[in-house]
Amino acid sequence: QVQLVESGGGSVRSGDSLKLSCVVSGLTFNYYSMGWFRQTPDKEREFVAVISRGGGTTYADSVKGRFTISRNNDRKTVYLQMSSLKPEDTALYYCAADRTILSHWSISQEDYEHWGRGTQVTVSS
């Protein structure tokens, strides 16, 4: 059974930092690129960041320079370090896994086969 379990969310103030983690089980982690997405009640789920199997990364323009995605293949964990948080970063953050070739990654949620349940991040001004 595939499981993706996010943690690390919370309520912080504008300018603070948080680090999200997503622990994966039930699949061969090395075969998957890993993405972070987020959603608010009044918006569609949107792409945040992705890291390929080989470690290449891509970010949404809204988080570039503030967020860093990383992975630890031994621990089957993907991380999202979030700094200089803004109120507009408030959302439910999901991690997702995409079975793909080594150097490929996708920003399209339709390409991701497995999803976690999310962790809430709330940023107050």
Side-chain angles (χ1 to χ4, degrees), residues 35-125:
W36 285 97
F37 295 79
R38 66 187 182 186
Q39 187 171 22
T40 59
D42 58 341
K43 282 187 180 180
E44 300 273 332
R45 187 160 54 186
E46 65 176 7
F47 165 77
V48 175
V50 60
I51 185 165
S52 72
R53 293 171 56 191
T57 59
T58 297
Y59 298 91
D61 288 343
S62 59
V63 307
K64 204 171 291 183
R66 300 188 297 121
F67 290 13
T68 302
I69 188 171
S70 60
R71 65 189 293 161
N72 184 318
N73 289 339
D74 291 335
R75 296 185 176 183
K76 295 188 175 183
T77 303
V78 60
Y79 304 97
L80 186 68
Q81 175 69 53
M82 306 186 294
S83 303
S84 302
L85 282 162
K86 305 175 181 179
E88 50 263 44
D89 295 318
T90 295
L92 187 61
Y93 283 72
Y94 298 91
C95 72
D98 174 22
R99 174 74 185 263
T100 186
I101 61 175
L102 189 63
S103 59
H104 178 75
W105 63 83
S106 173
I107 66 170
S108 174
Q109 57 184 306
E110 288 76 19
D111 290 333
Y112 288 77
E113 296 91 352
H114 305 290
W115 291 82
R117 293 190 173 187
T119 185
Q120 179 68 37
V121 173
T122 302
V123 185
S124 59
S125 56

